[in-house]
């Protein structure tokens, strides 16, 4: 993988896979171009020599990584690609030429790998699996396995007490967790906040958690302008990147998670919210709907009035909130609990690893 | 009828009001229903570590199913507990001014539900197999004892509508103000120990449609021969844990004042586990723990039982004293104790040492009054809080 660190979605997934395979007795090594060196991964050049002897390769395919793709394509053993969602370039048009380029290259690399019949795929969602098949991958070679995540770690960690005290004094009506990026639906979220104020006579307190990239300055400026023009003032708080303990405090001091994201491959915060008992309201996007499941409140073709009204219902109706959380937690227990993901992952991967003598 | 009684801990030697209540309840119900106690393998309520074997056993004629605890008290709970109490001492909370308690209620009403539930679940015990058992076993009725723990909070969510009853044993304490408790309790029929508790339910959760009634409790009423009116009682009795939280400091202060203004003041005898620094002195006789027979003998022979604790949820010692035909003197701030006095006519409620002195003067000088109060107390306990009365109410609630 290009970069390995604890706490980000790809890193959590890779580390979860590593632990699952090691627990079954496989000899597994991690290789990355960069990241947190304390995790003990090897370099990409070490990966090249490791794979020369027929070892299986599990490649985390995401945004542009030329060196990684070359190493993976030349690996002589079993090849499995974990598909990580690549945000389409269209979201970055007019925002960042760098990201447009990286997205296009990443998607092209994905397409090229999908056409290689010897590569098996692990998709995070049926939506991503469908895309891979559409690109040429054989449906029989694409398994769907939810990503490993840190929801259990979040549930166990002590919330940051200072943050907890600060935020519980004015709890958030709405939380959104995800990088401040053009595909994540922040601008819609602000519009819904304005609509809510019109319909219900009070401003929602919204907390936004997530990193941003300075190269998205034009889009960030739009976001700032929206906030100004919609007169949302200090009801919107940008919390930036948080530690795990702070993130726990942010979830616990929020009444709901509202997801208006326009492009996701899975959306881990939906799972975290369910684990911590925070109800989710989402606008429809295929992977979001799939992650949340049939008993969730996912609004398809809904205008801002409808979404704002749904937000109001969940804030005001405790029984509805309880039902949503119960559905989210039931789905978590059956699909997203670490043991469930591990089972699905091993069921998908171990037959592939055993099919070759390169173990 | 197949009935489950759910409680967080259960078994011989496990002390606690709710645990004792569950044992008495299950014992009585098992006379006319098919009863199982569902509980955890924990013996103590701090770590909830698994100490007892999981599985089914027969204990004092009642079938008990114990389920393992997979999550005890979480490390993160300490922070949530500090945040919830915000400087309040749980045991002193009921005595705080109403506006302070109202501010606490407002503060907790603003807590998001996820935070409230993190507090409830974080204290443990987490026994998912118990809840899975509830979901898959068709009990006709499930009775949860005590509101506070996840065994009840999550257990209620696992029971079909119309089949759950809760004996909440609610106190006026900081966690009780979490609104999610009210919403969850509203899904069940609530059984209070006293009218005061039924009123408290409605005060704590004003937005909820609660179905509450008094079911009470049953104590073993001593045989009538053991009760008699002493001719010249010369001491006041305090029974219960000798602890600042039980109003003992106030009792000693009032007693000192009493000695200064009452001729031939009666002695004050204190019995029970000593949990505060206190020594026998100036008419105060600290006996400490005594066995049940001695306790009842002292109750029988006392001029009155004096109990100034403001926090009682049932006040069993007052009921025991009444059953021995001894009048009780209680603090006017203890709603439960005042309820017993009002309903029985066997006690007086006091606001200060002067009222204590006046009450003692009256009881000493008016043997007829003392006798009448003693008789009313005995009849009250027999009618309302005896095992037989409790069983009759349970038979009416859950007919055989």
């Amino acid at each position: 993988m290009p970069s390995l660190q604890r706490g980000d979605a790809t890193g959590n997934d890779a580390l979860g896979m590593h632990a699952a395979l090691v627990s079954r007795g496989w000899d597994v090594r991690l290789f990355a171009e960069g990241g947190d060196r304390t995790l003990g991964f090897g370099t990409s050049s070490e990966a090249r020599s490791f794979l020369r002897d027929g070892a299986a390769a599990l490649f985390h395919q995401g945004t542009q990584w030329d060196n990684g793709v070359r190493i993976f394509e030349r690996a002589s053993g079993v090849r499995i690609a974990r598909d990580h969602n690549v945000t389409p370039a269209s979201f970055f048009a007019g925002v960042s030429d760098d990201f447009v380029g990286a997205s296009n290259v990443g998607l092209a690399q994905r397409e090229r790998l999908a056409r290689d019949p010897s590569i098996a795929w692990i998709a995070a969602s049926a939506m991503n699996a469908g895309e891979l098949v559409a690109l040429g991958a054989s449906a029989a070679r694409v398994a769907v396995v939810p990503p490993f995540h840190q929801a259990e770690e979040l549930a166990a960690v002590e919330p940051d007490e200072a943050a907890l005290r600060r935020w519980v004094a004015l709890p958030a009506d709405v939380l959104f967790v995800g990088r401040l990026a053009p595909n994540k639906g922040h601008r819609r979220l602000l519009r819904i906040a304005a609509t809510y104020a019109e319909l219900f006579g009070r401003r929602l307190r919204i907390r936004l958690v997530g990193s941003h990239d300075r190269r998205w300055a034009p889009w960030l400026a739009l976001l700032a302008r929206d906030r100004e023009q919609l007169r949302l003032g200090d009801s919107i708080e940008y919390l930036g990147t948080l530690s795990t303990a702070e993130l726990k405090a942010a979830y616990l001091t929020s009444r709901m998670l509202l997801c208006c994201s326009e492009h996701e491959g899975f959306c881990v915060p939906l799972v975290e919210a369910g684990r911590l008992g925070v109800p989710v309201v989402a606008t429809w996007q295929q992977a979001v709907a799939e992650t949340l499941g049939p008993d969730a409140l996912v609004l398809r073709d809904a205008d801002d009035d409808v979404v704002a009204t749904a937000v109001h219902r969940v804030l005001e109706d405790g029984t509805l909130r309880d039902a949503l959380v119960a559905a989210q937690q039931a789905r978590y227990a059956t699909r997203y609990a670490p043991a469930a993901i591990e089972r699905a992952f091993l069921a998908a991967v171990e037959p592939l690893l055993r099919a070759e003598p390169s173990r | 009828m197949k009935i489950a009684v759910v409680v967080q801990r259960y078994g011989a030697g496990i002390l606690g009001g709710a645990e004792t209540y569950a044992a008495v309840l299950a014992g009585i119900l098992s006379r006319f229903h098919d009863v199982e106690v569902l509980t955890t393998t924990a013996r103590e309520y701090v770590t909830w570590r698994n100490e007892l074997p999981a599985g089914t056993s027969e204990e004092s004629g009642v079938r008990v199913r114990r389920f393992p605890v997979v999550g005890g008290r979480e490390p993160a709970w300490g922070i949530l507990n500090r945040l919830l109490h915000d400087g309040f001492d749980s045991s002193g909370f009921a005595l705080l001014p109403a506006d302070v308690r109202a501010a606490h209620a407002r503060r907790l009403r603003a807590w998001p539900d996820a935070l409230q539930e993190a507090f409830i679940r974080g204290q443990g015990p987490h026994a998912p197999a118990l809840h899975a058992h509830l979901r898959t076993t068709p009990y006709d009725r499930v009775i949860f004892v005590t509101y506070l723990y996840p065994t009840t909070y999550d257990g209620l969510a696992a029971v079909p509508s119309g089949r759950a009853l809760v004996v909440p044993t609610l106190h006026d304490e900081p966690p009780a103000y979490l609104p999610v408790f009210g919403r969850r309790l509203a899904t069940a029929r609530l059984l209070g120990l006293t009218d005061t508790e039924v009123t408290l339910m409605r005060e704590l959760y004003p937005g909820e449609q609660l179905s509450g009634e008094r079911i009470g409790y049953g104590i073993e009423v001593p045989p009538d021969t053991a009760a008699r009116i002493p001719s010249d009682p010369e001491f006041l009795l305090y029974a219960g844990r000798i602890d600042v939280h039980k109003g003992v400091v106030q009792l000693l202060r009032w007693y000192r004042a009493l000695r200064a203004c009452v001729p031939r003041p009666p002695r004050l005898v204190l019995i029970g586990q000593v949990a505060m620094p206190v020594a026998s002195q100036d008419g105060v006789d600290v006996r400490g723990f005594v066995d049940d027979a001695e306790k009842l003998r002292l109750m029988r022979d006392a001029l009155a039982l004096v109990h100034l604790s403001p926090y009682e949820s049932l006040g069993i010692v007052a009921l025991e004293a009444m059953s021995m035909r001894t009048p009780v003197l209680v603090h006017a701030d203890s709603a439960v104790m005042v309820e017993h006095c009002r309903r029985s006519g066997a006690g007086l409620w006091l606001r200060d040492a002067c009222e204590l002195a006046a009450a003692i003067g009256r009881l000493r000088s008016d043997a007829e009054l003392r006798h009448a109060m003693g008789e009313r107390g005995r009849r009250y306990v027999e009618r309302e809080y005896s095992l037989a009365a409790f069983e009759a109410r349970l038979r009416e609630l859950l007919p055989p």
Side-chain angles (χ1 to χ4, degrees):
Chain A
M1 56 193 305
S3 174
L4 178 62
Q5 41 211 344
R6 233 180 262 286
D8 78 4
T10 313
N12 289 334
D13 190 34
L15 291 169
M17 289 180 175
H18 177 260
L21 289 170
V22 167
S23 75
R24 297 278 292 173
W26 296 93
D27 176 13
V28 190
R29 313 284 170 86
L30 290 161
F31 299 99
E33 203 87 70
D36 179 358
R37 294 281 170 196
T38 64
L39 294 171
F41 56 79
T43 63
S44 51
S45 58
E46 288 167 334
R48 199 172 291 117
S49 57
F50 182 75
L51 292 170
R52 207 171 284 144
D53 298 331
L58 206 165
F59 177 67
H60 285 262
Q61 153 65 29
T63 192
Q64 177 180 1
W65 184 29
D66 301 339
N67 193 29
V69 171
R70 269 196 301 275
I71 295 169
F72 183 58
E73 286 187 319
R74 288 173 193 164
S76 57
V78 168
R79 287 183 298 156
I80 306 166
R82 162 54 118 177
D83 184 53
H84 289 284
N85 192 55
V86 178
T87 306
S90 57
F91 285 102
F92 296 104
V95 174
S96 165
D97 290 343
D98 286 355
F99 275 80
V100 169
S103 172
N104 282 331
V105 173
L107 289 168
Q109 288 173 344
R110 182 195 198 209
E111 186 173 348
R112 194 168 79 227
L113 295 176
R115 286 196 192 122
D116 184 337
S118 68
I119 294 175
W121 286 88
I122 307 171
S125 59
M127 183 199 85
N128 280 358
E131 288 175 353
L132 291 166
V133 170
L135 290 172
S138 159
R141 301 276 284 164
V142 182
V144 176
V145 178
F148 289 89
H149 51 73
Q150 63 166 1
E152 287 304 315
E153 189 186 339
L154 256 180
V157 76
E158 291 188 29
D160 182 276
E161 188 163 1
L164 192 68
R165 286 185 180 278
R166 187 164 65 250
W167 294 330
V168 80
L170 277 174
D173 298 302
V174 166
L175 177 74
F176 179 67
V177 178
R179 61 183 185 158
L180 265 76
N183 61 305
K184 293 286 185 180
H186 291 87
R187 295 189 69 194
R188 173 123 202 242
L189 205 152
L190 297 194
R191 286 202 307 276
I192 290 165
T195 304
Y196 187 96
E198 283 172 27
L199 291 177
F200 300 106
R202 78 171 182 92
R203 289 199 303 195
L204 292 171
R205 175 163 295 280
I206 297 179
R207 295 205 169 104
L208 304 172
V209 175
S211 62
H212 70 274
D213 192 306
R214 287 183 183 175
R215 287 172 290 178
W216 305 332
W219 178 80
L220 293 168
L222 282 178
L223 205 58
R225 193 198 65 188
D226 287 350
R227 175 174 156 170
E228 191 72 25
Q229 289 183 343
L230 295 168
R231 297 180 183 167
L232 296 171
D234 59 5
S235 64
I236 311 291
E237 289 179 68
Y238 297 103
L239 303 183
T241 306
L242 301 180
S243 67
T244 307
E246 290 169 328
L247 182 59
K248 170 88 170 270
Y251 273 116
L252 292 183
T253 54
S254 301
R255 297 188 197 291
M256 73 163 65
L257 184 117
L258 175 59
C259 177
C260 301
S261 188
E262 295 168 62
H263 190 86
E264 294 287 345
F266 181 80
C267 200
V268 169
L270 304 175
V271 170
E272 293 173 344
R275 176 65 183 85
L276 295 176
V278 179
V280 174
V281 174
T283 53
W284 192 89
Q285 190 273 337
Q286 192 176 341
V288 166
E290 186 185 332
T291 298
L292 286 170
D295 299 323
L297 188 44
V298 181
L299 302 161
R300 190 163 194 165
D301 301 326
D303 63 20
D304 294 346
D305 284 14
V306 171
V307 180
T309 304
V311 166
H312 188 67
R313 275 292 308 280
V314 175
L315 290 176
E316 297 296 318
D317 183 344
T319 305
L320 173 61
R321 176 265 171 198
D322 287 350
L324 288 174
V325 169
Q328 289 167 221
Q329 293 190 332
R331 192 160 177 85
Y332 181 91
T334 53
R335 289 183 175 232
Y336 308 133
I341 294 178
E342 187 174 307
R343 268 196 308 277
F345 171 68
L346 292 173
V349 167
E350 284 195 314
L352 298 169
L353 298 178
R354 290 197 183 101
E356 294 277 344
S358 55
R359 175 178 160 182
Chain B
M1 208 182 265
K2 190 173 171 66
I3 295 177
V5 173
V6 182
V7 67
Q8 61 275 6
R9 302 179 298 156
Y10 187 88
I14 293 177
L15 301 177
E19 291 81 354
T20 304
Y21 191 100
V24 171
L25 177 71
I28 293 176
L29 285 175
S30 63
R31 291 175 196 155
F32 47 98
H33 288 301
D34 177 11
V35 175
E36 291 185 342
V37 171
L38 309 182
T39 188
T40 70
T41 51
R43 284 183 61 85
E44 53 85 17
Y45 64 90
V46 177
T47 66
W48 302 103
R49 66 179 178 272
N50 293 303
E51 292 187 65
L52 298 168
T56 308
S57 58
E58 195 84 6
E59 297 174 24
S60 303
V62 176
R63 196 180 317 125
V64 181
R65 288 182 191 271
R66 286 195 175 81
F67 298 87
V69 175
V70 300
R73 186 162 291 180
E74 295 170 3
W77 183 76
I79 289 174
L80 303 181
N81 192 39
R82 281 200 296 278
L83 188 69
L84 182 132
H85 284 82
D86 201 28
F88 297 133
D89 175 353
S90 203
S91 59
F93 185 77
L95 277 190
L96 292 170
D99 60 332
V100 175
R101 286 181 290 126
H104 172 76
R106 279 196 301 277
R107 193 170 63 88
L108 293 197
R109 271 201 293 276
W111 276 28
D113 294 353
L115 182 59
Q116 298 182 46
E117 290 180 340
F119 172 87
I120 295 166
R121 296 188 177 120
Q123 66 190 326
H126 181 45
L130 193 161
H131 303 135
H133 177 81
L134 281 173
R135 268 190 291 274
T136 54
T137 310
Y139 292 105
D140 297 302
R141 293 288 183 277
V142 181
I143 308 176
F144 296 90
V145 181
T146 215
Y147 78 101
L148 185 62
Y149 295 110
T151 37
T152 294
Y153 187 80
D154 289 326
L156 276 169
V159 175
S161 166
R163 295 196 186 169
L165 302 96
V166 183
V167 182
T169 64
L170 269 173
H171 307 251
D172 190 356
E173 59 182 351
Y177 287 75
L178 291 172
V180 292
F181 278 128
R183 194 160 77 230
R184 196 53 60 88
L185 290 174
T187 64
R189 187 170 175 181
L190 305 182
L191 308 172
L193 302 185
T194 59
D195 287 342
T196 300
E197 188 188 351
V198 175
T199 303
L200 180 65
M201 293 170 195
R202 301 200 167 109
E203 287 172 354
L204 284 171
Y205 315 116
E208 302 293 345
Q209 295 291 318
L210 297 177
S211 160
E213 64 207 277
R214 176 167 51 82
I215 190 68
Y217 182 53
I219 65 167
E220 197 157 340
V221 181
D224 205 21
T225 51
R228 66 172 177 79
I229 304 298
S231 54
D232 188 16
E234 279 307 312
F235 66 93
L236 301 168
L237 180 69
Y238 168 86
R241 202 171 68 246
I242 299 170
D243 188 346
V244 288
H245 299 312
K246 290 285 185 180
V248 174
V249 170
Q250 190 157 34
L251 173 60
L252 293 171
R253 195 174 296 139
W254 286 16
Y255 180 72
R256 274 198 299 276
L258 173 88
R259 281 178 66 82
C261 63
V262 171
R264 289 186 305 107
R267 287 178 299 121
L268 173 63
V269 176
L270 286 80
I271 59 171
Q273 182 196 346
V274 179
M276 61 179 272
V278 61
S280 295
Q281 54 176 313
D282 298 335
V284 178
D285 179 3
V286 182
R287 300 256 182 107
F289 180 80
V290 300
D291 62 27
D292 276 356
E294 176 67 358
K295 176 180 75 177
L296 292 176
R297 191 189 67 75
L298 288 166
M299 283 180 169
R300 181 195 65 189
D301 292 345
L303 174 66
L305 178 95
V306 191
H307 207 287
L308 302 185
S309 167
Y311 316 122
E312 296 305 296
S313 57
L314 180 59
I316 287 180
V317 287
L319 299 174
E320 288 174 334
M322 286 179 183
S323 76
M324 299 305 291
R325 292 192 171 84
T326 297
V328 299
L329 304 176
V330 303
H331 199 293
D333 284 343
S334 174
V336 166
M337 294 297 224
V338 172
E339 177 186 329
H340 288 318
C341 292
R342 279 186 195 279
R343 293 182 64 222
S344 66
L348 302 169
W349 52 100
L350 318 167
R351 296 213 162 272
D352 53 38
C354 290
E355 291 190 359
L356 175 64
I360 286 168
R362 188 77 199 281
L363 289 174
R364 280 176 129 183
S365 63
D366 191 341
E368 198 175 321
L369 172 68
R370 212 167 66 233
H371 176 78
M373 288 176 75
E375 283 302 317
R376 287 198 291 259
R378 173 89 188 181
R379 283 201 300 276
Y380 174 68
V381 175
E382 285 174 342
R383 187 180 70 239
E384 300 289 349
Y385 285 98
S386 64
L387 285 170
F390 189 38
E391 178 171 337
R393 276 196 299 276
L394 289 172
R395 282 178 183 272
E396 194 177 328
L397 179 76
L398 301 165

